[in-house]
Amino acid sequence: SLHPPPPHSEAREMPAAKGQKKARAKAQASGTSRSPAISSTERRATWSLAFLEGFLSSWEYLLGLLAFGVAAKDLLQDLPYGEALAGAASTFLIMVWMLWRFGSTAGLPMKIVLRRMGVFKPVISRYAGIVLGIHIVSFIVTYIYQQHSGRVLFTLDNYFDAKTGGFRLEKAMDMLLLAPLREEFFFRGIMFSLIYRRLGSIEKNIWKSAVLMSGLSFASLHAINFFSPEEHSRIYVGMQVCSGLVIGWFYTLRFISTGCLWETICLHIIHNVFASLVPVDLNSSLLDLTFLLPAIATVLIHGFMARTTLTEVSSVGGFRYRVIDLTTDSASRLPAFVKKEDTSGSNGESKHLIQGSNLSSDTTEQKRKKEDEGAAGGLTKRISKKR
């Protein structure tokens, strides 16, 4: 009876650990936060910073891709298929660069980020087959209608040089493989995660806000084709931007639902196969049904599938995204708004930057030692008084 009570056993800690795990999973899916009350000023500042981070990272992606592309062409242009190799090299380099930048910002090793993106365990759901079937049926119906109307828009001109008539391997590779790879990696894997992490300290259901912003960024990227040297027509770029907004939302939701980038890459490739049949110099009226009907159908179909996926993600167990886990990874509040009482409590638990308890093993062990020492000291005093 003179010995102090034994330290907390693992058996006693298990119920608390289980409850803590359930609370983290619930917070991750619902987006609710246990952080201190957020002022309207900090909310506006955080939204502004999230928008600025997304904007600057988009330009970093574009300028980096351009710089890597120019350097790769200079080095590889004398080799057979030099332009195609340069395109592949620039895509690989910009993906590695953005992965390193995001990993260093989030404090995660690159391998961990790739694993959480599902790169090592491909997951492809029935949606890939559904989208492929819809595109095939839509193409057949549209082609029959165009033939009946006497004006067929579909062509293979995008794959051939307008001056020489030769097949452009680098263009085909970029449209059908490289662009889907790098765009899905950046806009779904990096951009969404960046915004999700930033807004995680202030917003409820912040993943919905991140979906909207990443889709908007994806659509805005295609507006740069207004300045393309290939002379894209305005109606073609306008169609890209409008459809890209809804398609971007759909792809991001599929990424959240599966927790894997491979399905969105497959969906993007399928879309580009059929979209590449529309000439970039399309000269058509907005009231031309041969162009208007397939464009509207694309937006409506992807909008319906995005809505269906949103319902799936909002249901229990439907949120499988795990690149950034707000219960364990920091979702930084702005330092200027963090007060001393917000970062430490009477029980020694940190309330800073997370949705749930995130005590380190060292802190927990120190706390246990203090409790044990206090219990032993109290017992010794009581025994001394009795004597």
Side-chain angles (χ1 to χ4, degrees):
S1 61
L2 296 178
H3 293 286
H8 298 289
S9 64
E10 293 183 3
R12 294 182 181 179
E13 288 292 322
M14 285 188 65
K18 286 183 178 180
Q20 190 180 71
K21 187 175 182 180
K22 289 181 180 180
R24 288 182 179 180
K26 186 176 180 181
Q28 176 76 357
S30 64
T32 56
S33 176
R34 302 170 88 187
S35 56
I38 305 297
S39 66
S40 59
T41 303
E42 182 180 359
R43 190 179 299 276
R44 289 194 298 269
T46 304
W47 267 97
S48 300
L49 183 57
F51 177 81
L52 182 62
E53 284 182 333
F55 177 79
L56 292 178
S57 64
S58 296
W59 276 104
E60 181 179 0
Y61 164 79
L62 289 173
L63 295 177
L65 182 63
L66 177 63
F68 288 136
V70 171
K73 281 184 179 180
D74 288 341
L75 294 173
L76 303 174
Q77 62 182 351
D78 295 331
L79 298 176
Y81 307 108
E83 291 190 2
L85 292 174
S90 60
T91 294
F92 173 77
L93 291 173
I94 192 60
M95 289 172 64
V96 171
W97 172 258
M98 296 308 299
L99 175 65
W100 175 78
R101 290 278 286 117
F102 174 76
S104 61
T105 301
L108 295 170
M110 292 192 292
K111 186 176 180 180
I112 297 298
V113 177
L114 289 175
R115 182 182 295 122
R116 293 185 179 185
M117 288 181 181
V119 173
F120 305 126
K121 292 184 178 180
V123 175
I124 299 177
S125 71
R126 67 184 188 279
Y127 274 84
I130 294 174
V131 170
L132 177 60
I134 290 175
H135 274 86
I136 292 175
V137 173
S138 177
F139 173 78
I140 294 174
V141 172
T142 305
Y143 184 76
I144 293 174
Y145 176 79
Q146 289 179 357
Q147 278 210 328
H148 180 72
S149 64
R151 184 167 184 257
V152 178
L153 296 180
F154 296 135
T155 178
L156 295 175
D157 290 347
N158 291 335
Y159 294 97
F160 295 90
D161 191 286
K163 297 180 180 179
T164 64
F167 180 73
R168 301 172 62 187
L169 176 62
E170 71 283 356
K171 184 66 175 179
M173 281 183 57
D174 189 70
M175 287 190 299
L176 303 181
L177 180 61
L178 300 180
L181 272 174
R182 63 174 179 261
E183 289 179 7
E184 292 308 309
F185 183 82
F186 176 68
F187 286 101
R188 254 55 73 182
I190 303 296
M191 172 70 76
F192 171 78
S193 301
L194 186 149
I195 299 172
Y196 178 75
R197 177 175 177 267
R198 172 57 63 187
L199 296 181
S201 61
I202 64 165
E203 288 292 319
K204 293 183 178 180
N205 293 323
I206 48 87
W207 60 269
K208 295 180 180 179
S209 303
V211 168
L212 293 176
M213 292 184 69
S214 62
L216 182 62
S217 301
F218 178 69
S220 302
L221 171 74
H222 292 85
I224 202 171
N225 286 331
F226 279 120
F227 311 101
S228 172
E230 296 188 9
E231 298 182 356
H232 290 67
S233 66
R234 294 193 175 187
I235 193 170
Y236 180 86
V237 179
M239 177 184 67
Q240 277 190 316
V241 173
C242 293
S243 61
L245 182 63
V246 180
I247 291 173
W249 290 338
F250 172 58
Y251 289 172
T252 307
L253 288 169
R254 290 311 308 160
F255 174 48
I256 296 173
S257 178
T258 61
C260 180
L261 278 178
W262 287 111
E263 179 174 297
T264 63
I265 292 172
C266 290
L267 293 174
H268 202 147
I269 291 174
I270 292 170
H271 176 77
N272 280 13
V273 167
F274 292 93
S276 65
L277 300 177
V278 179
V280 297
D281 57 350
L282 177 66
N283 187 13
S284 179
S285 169
L286 282 176
L287 300 179
D288 185 358
L289 294 182
T290 57
F291 158 77
L292 188 62
L293 286 179
I296 293 177
T298 298
V299 173
L300 291 179
I301 290 171
H302 283 88
F304 173 76
M305 290 190 292
R307 176 60 183 172
T308 303
T309 306
L310 178 62
T311 303
E312 292 180 3
V313 173
S314 301
S315 62
V316 177
F319 191 94
R320 297 184 179 91
Y321 166 87
R322 56 195 181 96
V323 177
I324 291 295
D325 182 355
L326 295 181
T327 64
T328 57
D329 299 318
S330 172
S332 302
R333 285 185 62 190
L334 302 182
F337 294 92
V338 178
K339 299 178 182 179
K340 184 177 181 180
E341 57 267 23
D342 293 340
T343 59
S344 62
S346 58
N347 59 354
E349 293 184 357
S350 172
K351 298 180 180 179
H352 182 43
L353 311 179
I354 56 175
Q355 295 183 351
S357 176
N358 189 25
L359 292 175
S360 66
S361 58
D362 292 339
T363 305
T364 306
E365 188 65 28
Q366 292 174 1
K367 182 180 175 182
R368 290 177 181 174
K369 287 182 179 180
K370 289 181 179 179
E371 291 175 352
D372 295 339
E373 291 172 359
L379 181 60
T380 304
K381 289 180 181 179
R382 288 196 297 273
I383 294 172
S384 300
K385 288 181 179 179
K386 288 182 179 180
R387 289 179 176 176

